[in-house]
Amino acid sequence: MTGPNDTTDPDGTDPAAAARAAERDAALRDRLSADSLTSRRDYLRVMTTVSGGLLVGSIAVSAGVLHRHGDAEAAEVPELRVADRLARGEAVLFNYPGEHDRAMAVKLADDSVVGYSTVCTHLACGVLWKEHRGEEGELYCPCHEGSFDIRTGAVTGGPPPRGLPKVLMAERADGSVWAVGTAYSDETARHAACRQLGAIRPGTTVPSCPHSGGK
Amino acid sequence: MTYPPDYRPGSDEPRLNRPVPERYPQIRSTSGYADPRVVHSGPGPGAGAEQEPERSAVLSARLVVVLCVVAGQLWALNVGVDAWMQGRTGTAWWCTGFEGLSFLIALGAWWLGPRDR
């Protein structure tokens, strides 16, 4: 039953609430249609702050905040037996040198064994071994169709900015496959071996290394 | 000038023959650039014009400088991350130095013009 002072409409809506809602809608419409309130002075201040933020980020990167495959001290990482035997065209997944460093070893048609990190250098998706792509097969990232050369780990297509970090592999006489070291993106195995030797035995001079223990 | 004999100046309606200020009280003696009904400011003393064009231009120039600096910093950060990931730590630190220098330039551009910060 509705009395003379009842403000509720017969359909159950409160006129005051409806008026408030309409006012809110009008205010929102005004705000959205208004010109941007960010002045050039505000923009200048914001961009200067962004510049400072980029400086801080760069310092963090150079100081080593980002995880880098193969960053574990060479002396602390023992060799890892990843497979008793590997057939041609076959791949095996393992973690090396750290337990969170996902890696893959592949035996190629000429019986050489190569190993790479399986974390794509673009956005860290998992990289897959595609035996039937390309001439010798290739490493393929399905997220954005990045691809890497199976011999060198270099980028052959797609958006990845760097080649895959390598895992240095060795195959012993009994056919077992071992991970024996790591190399950074686009770093040669020789340079990586010299670097790790320098970490294990500082001051050692090796004639074949460009500068022993160097970066 | 001669008029027809039946000519009378003004309107037949007396209300239209009132003085202008009485007919249009909104129009004041200063109407022209102070009248809120005037949407487009006409030529008047300073009407619609930039009062300090040099100061405005300098502000825009400072903003352009800072935007260019930030674009360069993004590029340097990209190069620095790549270098560090490839083990070239020295290059990464050089990029950090570039970032620091760039920030100083941006800070200077912001610092100039104390009235426009």
Side-chain angles (χ1 to χ4, degrees):
Chain A
M1 181 175 177
T2 56
N5 295 327
D6 194 346
T7 57
T8 304
D9 281 350
D11 59 357
T13 58
D14 181 1
R20 281 196 299 274
E23 195 174 329
R24 274 199 306 274
D25 287 348
L28 179 63
R29 202 159 34 244
D30 283 351
R31 189 157 63 83
L32 293 178
S33 61
D35 287 344
S36 170
L37 295 178
T38 303
S39 67
R40 284 178 299 174
R41 293 160 187 81
D42 294 336
Y43 198 24
L44 186 65
R45 196 180 309 121
V46 167
M47 294 315 291
T48 305
T49 307
V50 168
S51 174
L54 287 171
L55 171 61
V56 172
S58 183
I59 292 172
V61 167
S62 297
V65 166
L66 298 178
H67 176 71
R68 183 166 55 177
H69 188 104
D71 249 353
E73 288 296 329
E76 298 173 0
V77 182
E79 295 179 352
L80 177 70
R81 183 187 187 115
V82 299
D84 294 334
R85 188 167 294 279
L86 210 54
R88 285 179 184 166
E90 200 176 37
V92 61
L93 294 170
F94 56 95
N95 292 329
Y96 185 86
E99 59 178 313
H100 299 296
D101 293 320
R102 291 173 285 152
M104 173 193 292
V106 181
K107 189 163 190 177
L108 302 180
D110 63 354
D111 286 337
S112 58
V113 179
V114 293
Y116 298 100
S117 162
T118 58
V119 180
C120 183
T121 54
H122 179 220
L123 290 177
C125 290
V127 172
L128 308 174
W129 162 236
K130 293 288 184 182
E131 186 180 359
H132 302 296
R133 289 175 68 104
E135 290 185 6
E136 294 186 287
E138 68 181 11
L139 295 164
Y140 173 72
C141 177
C143 287
H144 300 95
E145 302 202 339
S147 57
F148 302 89
D149 186 275
I150 191 61
R151 289 273 173 194
T152 62
V155 179
T156 55
R162 299 176 300 280
L164 287 174
K166 300 179 190 69
V167 178
L168 309 181
M169 308 300 300
E171 188 175 18
R172 296 197 174 158
D174 62 354
S176 60
V177 176
W178 293 72
V180 298
T182 56
Y184 297 139
S185 292
D186 302 322
E187 186 185 30
T188 63
R190 179 178 167 190
H191 190 279
C194 290
R195 175 172 55 79
Q196 290 172 13
L197 184 65
I200 297 171
R201 299 192 186 92
T204 306
T205 303
V206 180
S208 59
C209 289
H211 44 92
S212 299
K215 293 285 183 188
Chain B
M1 177 179 276
T2 57
Y3 296 100
D6 57 346
Y7 174 79
R8 287 178 304 164
S11 172
D12 288 338
E13 294 185 42
R15 67 182 181 87
L16 298 181
N17 291 328
R18 292 176 297 159
V20 169
E22 193 177 324
R23 288 177 59 196
Y24 303 104
Q26 301 94 333
I27 297 178
R28 298 175 179 82
S29 58
T30 54
S31 288
Y33 58 83
D35 190 337
R37 294 169 303 167
V38 177
V39 176
H40 301 286
S41 55
E50 176 61 63
Q51 299 294 308
E52 294 178 89
E54 296 87 358
R55 181 179 160 196
S56 174
V58 167
L59 176 59
S60 296
R62 288 160 60 208
L63 186 55
V64 168
V65 166
V66 171
L67 288 175
C68 290
V69 162
V70 168
Q73 281 187 296
L74 287 170
W75 169 80
L77 185 62
N78 194 32
V79 171
V81 169
D82 272 353
W84 194 83
M85 283 294 187
Q86 291 168 340
R88 294 183 285 118
T89 311
T91 306
W93 278 111
W94 273 111
C95 289
T96 299
F98 178 84
E99 297 267 359
L101 194 62
S102 300
F103 176 60
L104 288 179
I105 294 171
L107 202 62
W110 171 78
W111 191 257
L112 286 173
R115 292 159 67 198
D116 293 315
R117 285 184 206 149

